[in-house]
Amino acid sequence: MQKVWYRKSTASWYTTFTGNGGEQKQMKLLKGPNDRAHRELAEQKLLEELRIRPAPKLASDKTPDWITAGGLIKGFLCHSRKEHEPDTYRWYKSLLKGFYRLHASVRLSQLSKKHVLTWVKKAGYNPTSANRAIGALKRAFNWAVEEEFIRSNPISHVRKPKSLVRDRKLTPEERQLILTSIRGPAFRIFVEAMTLTGCRPGEVARIQANDFDAEKGIWVLNKHKTVKKTGKPRIVYLCPEAVELTKRVIAACPDMGPIFRNSRKQPWTRNAVRIRFRNLRKKFPQLKSVVAYTYRSSFATDALELGIADTTVAALLGHTNTNTLHKFYARLSHKVGHLILQR
């Protein structure tokens, strides 16, 4: 979190910190060349030292003046890379890099709400993206508080905008338009898997052959979004079409690794999927706001319109209760025709 710096005369990396008496001291972190790899090693060494050394006693609750926003973000990402799943680490990194580029040199004692709002505005985030980005930034600062690197979170008062409700539902015509417009069979198969299962795009991208139980007709995901919360694997119940699709892609990819792959036989990435839907929206204006997640919300709404109980739909989506279902997906109050038919 503090800055690390290189001394050419000793070919070593150092940091400067404030002692309990308020004096400035230098600490040698490691010996090595002046390159990016050794800078990152020095930053990791600094984090270890900060954990075992008592924090300097301050005369007030003021944040230490030497801590910068960039240093804190780097420290949090080092922590995330070690403690979180790779996808989670990459998610934090992609969200925080914009703030880092704009405000890395800003000292936390000078950080304010305007820095956050400037970042969000320059990024052009919609309310949902801004909600996630600010949430990730707050998490980084809260981590620093938990580790006792800083006394308080300087942006704790910044409010996140309310996320947009996922009430976009694909019509049969739109589904057909998307499928017929996809040139490569690999992405078409990926979209079919999302359509048939209602899985998150990331879940489909991670499915491997050993996750498939053909006899029971299920996918068993031991690594998923809510595994730390539930402590249980995510069970995806497959319809007959999804079972056959899974068998077909496994036969085409007999080696280890994810079974849904692109034309270069590589697993689908979050960005690759995002770009393909962005291109579809550019080509067909009627697909405005359609993203990969739209297939999941469409799956949920279709199931509810068919009269399937909300508890069952929540279980199919991998939720532990119906709260998320009602908050984001179940917008049946807007579907007058369906409500009339149910009377």
Side-chain angles (χ1 to χ4, degrees), residues 42 50 59 149 156 173 197-198 214 259 289 311 332:
L50 287 172
F149 295 146
S156 61
E173 294 76 19
T197 64
I259 60 176
S289 75
T311 52
L332 293 182

Side-chain angles (χ1 to χ4, degrees), residues 12-187:
S12 300
W13 288 90
Y14 293 80
T15 189
T16 303
F17 67 96
T18 304
N20 288 335
E23 71 281 8
Q24 294 291 301
K25 296 184 177 181
Q26 295 179 3
M27 179 195 303
K28 182 178 179 179
L29 297 170
L30 59 86
K31 190 175 181 66
N34 185 6
D35 57 26
R36 181 175 179 179
H38 282 82
R39 173 182 285 276
E40 291 181 353
L41 288 174
E43 290 170 345
Q44 292 179 21
K45 177 67 175 177
L46 175 58
L47 283 173
E48 295 170 3
E49 291 290 340
L50 287 172
R51 286 193 180 95
I52 63 176
R53 287 174 176 267
K57 295 182 179 179
L58 304 175
S60 67
D61 286 339
K62 184 179 177 182
T63 298
D65 193 52
W66 46 261
I67 302 180
T68 64
L72 187 145
I73 289 172
K74 275 192 172 183
F76 173 71
L77 291 177
C78 284
H79 157 78
S80 179
R81 183 164 51 187
K82 289 182 178 180
E83 302 297 328
H84 297 151
E85 291 293 324
D87 283 349
T88 302
Y89 163 69
R90 286 191 289 269
W91 183 79
Y92 275 121
K93 186 177 180 180
S94 66
L95 287 176
L96 297 176
K97 66 181 180 182
F99 190 88
Y100 181 90
R101 288 171 182 167
L102 284 175
H103 306 307
S105 62
V106 178
R107 297 183 183 275
L108 295 200
S109 57
Q110 300 172 336
L111 196 69
S112 66
K113 179 180 179 179
K114 70 177 183 181
H115 293 98
V116 180
L117 298 182
T118 300
W119 163 52
V120 170
K121 184 177 180 179
K122 281 185 175 292
Y125 288 137
N126 65 24
T128 300
S129 297
N131 178 287
R132 293 173 180 172
I134 295 173
L137 187 63
K138 283 188 169 185
R139 178 65 199 115
F141 282 96
N142 287 336
W143 164 82
V145 173
E146 293 164 7
E147 294 293 326
E148 299 183 348
F149 295 146
I150 59 177
R151 295 290 182 85
S152 61
N153 183 343
I155 60 166
S156 61
H157 63 289
V158 179
R159 298 183 65 179
K160 298 185 294 183
K162 189 175 181 181
S163 295
L164 299 174
V165 177
R166 296 174 190 151
D167 58 355
R168 181 66 161 91
K169 178 179 179 292
L170 287 165
T171 65
E173 294 76 19
E174 288 173 333
R175 294 177 197 262
Q176 187 61 28
L177 174 64
I178 291 172
L179 285 177
T180 55
S181 301
I182 296 174
R183 294 181 180 179
F187 189 57

Side-chain angles (χ1 to χ4, degrees), residues 273-285:
V273 175
R274 180 186 66 82
I275 289 173
R276 277 162 175 76
F277 276 98
R278 182 195 65 188
N279 292 340
L280 283 168
R281 292 194 302 272
K282 286 182 178 179
K283 188 175 181 180
F284 303 106

Side-chain angles (χ1 to χ4, degrees), residues 190-211:
F190 186 87
V191 170
E192 287 177 358
M194 290 194 298
T195 304
L196 294 171
T197 64
C199 282
R200 301 174 180 92
E203 291 174 335
V204 175
R206 287 195 297 271
I207 290 294
Q208 300 190 24
N210 56 6
D211 296 327

